[in-house]
Amino acid sequence: MTTGALLCEAVGSGAALAETASFQDMLDQLDPKKLPVATIFRAKEIITLDPARPSATAVAVLGDRILAVGSLEELKAAAGGQPYIIDDTFADKVIAPGFLAQHDHPLLTGLTMMSEIIAIEDWVLPSGTIPAAQNQNDYRKRLAEANAKLKDPNELLVTWGYDPSFHGDLTRSDLDKLSGTRPIIVWHRSAHEFIVNTKTLETYGIDAAFVGAMSTEAQKQSNLDEGHFWEGGMFGVVPKLLPAIATPERVQHGLEFVMRYYHANGVTLACEPGGLYSKRMQDAQNAVLSRPESPFRFYFIPDGKSIIAAFPDTAISETEKVLGWGQGMTVMIPTAIKLFADGAVYSLAMQVREPYLDRHPGQWIMDPKLFARAFQVYWEAGYQIHIHATGDAGLDLVLDNLEANMRRHPRYDHRTVAVHFAISQQDQIERIKRLGAIVSGNPYYVTALADVYAKEGLGPERADNMVRLGDVERAGISYSLHSDMPMAPGQPLFLMHCAVNRTTVSGRVAGPDQRISRLSALKAITLDAAYSLRLEDEVGSIVPGKLANFTILGESPLTVDPAKIKDIPVWGTVHEGRVLPVK
């Protein structure tokens, strides 16, 4: 630390005061006895991510801000006469910059975690571990058990986690055999598809007339006979099903789960790009997440897909209206928007350059013409654009539009974000770099899917090189990690673990050249995640002046055995100066 760090702030304040107050007032402000009390936290190690001083053992906090960083002796000497207290709560702990959940979905997480979970992996929750259903027999047995344990024959059954690559085909007729009296809603592992029984269609008014009134694209992504709705079709039936899935009780309990779960995993700031475009549902999220005692701030980025479809000629003014939807600890990020290219990874609905092994077609979430119009509208208005792009052909759509708009209307530091980044090619890495885009990748795709997709869907080469962050890192492109929870567990240390090790469920390493360093992985859940949200001046590293957001760990992720990164204990967090142990 520079020993004058504390004095610099005082001198700067004095210059401003000189114009509005007397010289004596300024001297009173500089009187150490009249300065507020700082707290100096000691730690076994502080990982600052500040290149000027990467490591320290003490950090001084004043209110919600970092005052100084260094050794205890340096901070005591620099304090001069300013009062301080020394807090040894973290004396045997490691302090890291506060973790960011860069791209997660709180409402979706809450609702899926409150449903009957029958998924392709174990889910370790505060209430216990829900084991995986690894094949069709396991899945069908668990689904039958879930149906049988509901004593009321008319009670709704909502289950999440089904994936045909693991669990085989499932249709309306299969669900009708389970029950003809209760609505059954099977929410696909991707959360981009529904499969429902006849009773659901009858109860919630989804019939041929309703489907026929949906957009042409949504009709193409619906199969009423099989009770199957995906991508545009799924979004088309959401208004019918959401009141059943998102009851006030389920929403509240689900969001309270989100608060506990994210805090237990060290999250100090989270963001949802492109959630539901619904003031009512945002208010429901605010009712829980905006509470002053929340352990993190949750930022939201509006859904440009829905806004441009509803208001093609006034999209910008309608987007600006959404900025007032946040309150308290929830915030809408201005001049940022979320668009969608191609379909879900778990659905094998990505748009790919080379055909799938079975030659089935990929899917677009936004029609390419509508996407191009939306991209241009928001680009010319100066927005940062986050784009859901999963396949390499989907990424081509993004980069083609980015290049066209750069050539037509050049912008500096636009930070266009390619989100998810499952399938890409080396030529696209070079193009991302040239165009000034950045990447947010989900490394869990490799862990969960590389083994299965190597055999069906993609083949070994594409499956093993999913989320090619090694190439991104070597190209010098800024990137972050995200879970997209519930697409992956919302555990930043687990994301680090996946990206550093790239170990699949079978124990093999997929695409070893695409592994990244531990330091880069830590930055990808802190400083580089903040950069992707244009918040790097506020959070992401431990330097004077930034918010005092820390994640308190039992060991350093930079020195622990790489195979044990996911097992590092999280003691709790410091959020804007508040010390918040995990209960």
Side-chain angles (χ1 to χ4, degrees), residues 36-41 58-69 75 82-85 542 546-550 574 576-578:
V37 178
T39 299
I40 300 176
F41 293 103
V59 56
V61 172
L62 187 62
D64 62 354
R65 296 281 169 174
I66 299 167
L67 183 61
V69 183
L75 267 56
Q82 180 167 4
Y84 61 84
I85 59 173
I542 301 177
K546 287 192 178 186
L547 287 169
N549 282 6
F550 313 139
V574 175
E576 298 179 10
R578 298 177 297 150

Side-chain angles (χ1 to χ4, degrees), residues 158-399:
V158 179
T159 176
W160 169 81
Y162 164 74
D163 189 322
S165 294
F166 294 78
H167 302 142
D169 292 335
L170 188 70
T171 67
R172 169 182 173 181
S173 63
D174 296 319
L175 299 179
D176 285 345
K177 293 172 185 175
L178 274 180
S179 178
T181 61
R182 84 167 75 257
I184 300 176
I185 300 173
V186 174
W187 211 344
H188 193 284
R189 178 66 181 75
S190 68
H192 283 230
E193 303 184 43
F194 289 125
I195 302 165
V196 302
N197 67 345
T198 299
K199 189 63 177 178
T200 299
L201 299 174
E202 294 172 350
T203 301
Y204 302 110
I206 302 171
D207 54 18
F210 177 80
V211 173
M214 296 195 303
S215 70
T216 301
E217 289 302 314
Q219 291 182 51
K220 292 177 181 177
Q221 295 171 328
S222 302
N223 187 327
L224 187 62
D225 289 341
E226 295 188 356
H228 184 197
F229 305 89
W230 62 97
E231 301 300 1
M234 186 273 295
F235 285 111
V237 300
V238 158
K240 291 287 191 179
L241 299 182
L242 194 61
I245 296 172
T247 63
E249 295 79 10
R250 286 169 58 86
V251 169
Q252 179 177 337
H253 293 157
L255 290 171
E256 288 172 346
F257 161 85
V258 167
M259 288 178 64
R260 295 191 303 272
Y261 182 87
Y262 277 50
H263 179 231
N265 288 288
V267 171
T268 61
L269 185 151
C271 181
E272 179 180 44
L276 285 176
Y277 178 51
S278 164
K279 178 65 162 60
R280 183 174 67 85
M281 296 313 300
Q282 184 63 47
D283 288 343
Q285 293 182 93
N286 292 345
V288 177
L289 299 178
S290 67
R291 296 171 184 170
E293 68 270 19
S294 174
F296 45 76
R297 290 191 185 275
F298 220 113
Y299 288 77
F300 294 85
I301 295 174
D303 168 23
K305 168 181 61 63
S306 298
I307 294 173
I308 199 80
F311 305 100
D313 299 321
T314 57
I316 299 301
S317 61
E318 293 298 328
T319 303
E320 290 172 350
K321 293 177 183 177
V322 174
L323 297 181
W325 288 10
Q327 63 183 52
M329 299 290 275
T330 61
V331 183
M332 288 285 175
I333 297 181
T335 61
I337 202 71
K338 171 76 177 295
L339 300 179
F340 295 78
D342 51 332
V345 177
Y346 285 99
S347 298
L348 279 172
M350 302 167 283
Q351 290 284 5
V352 290
R353 288 177 172 180
E354 298 298 322
Y356 288 102
L357 297 182
D358 65 357
R359 308 192 75 80
H360 76 267
Q363 302 289 326
W364 294 112
I365 296 179
M366 292 182 73
D367 176 79
K369 291 182 179 179
L370 178 61
F371 179 90
R373 171 173 167 71
F375 195 106
Q376 182 175 351
V377 166
Y378 284 107
W379 177 270
E380 292 183 351
Y383 276 61
Q384 184 195 25
I385 308 176
H386 297 244
I387 306 116
H388 167 114
T390 55
D392 48 8
L395 187 55
D396 280 336
L397 176 72
V398 172
L399 298 178

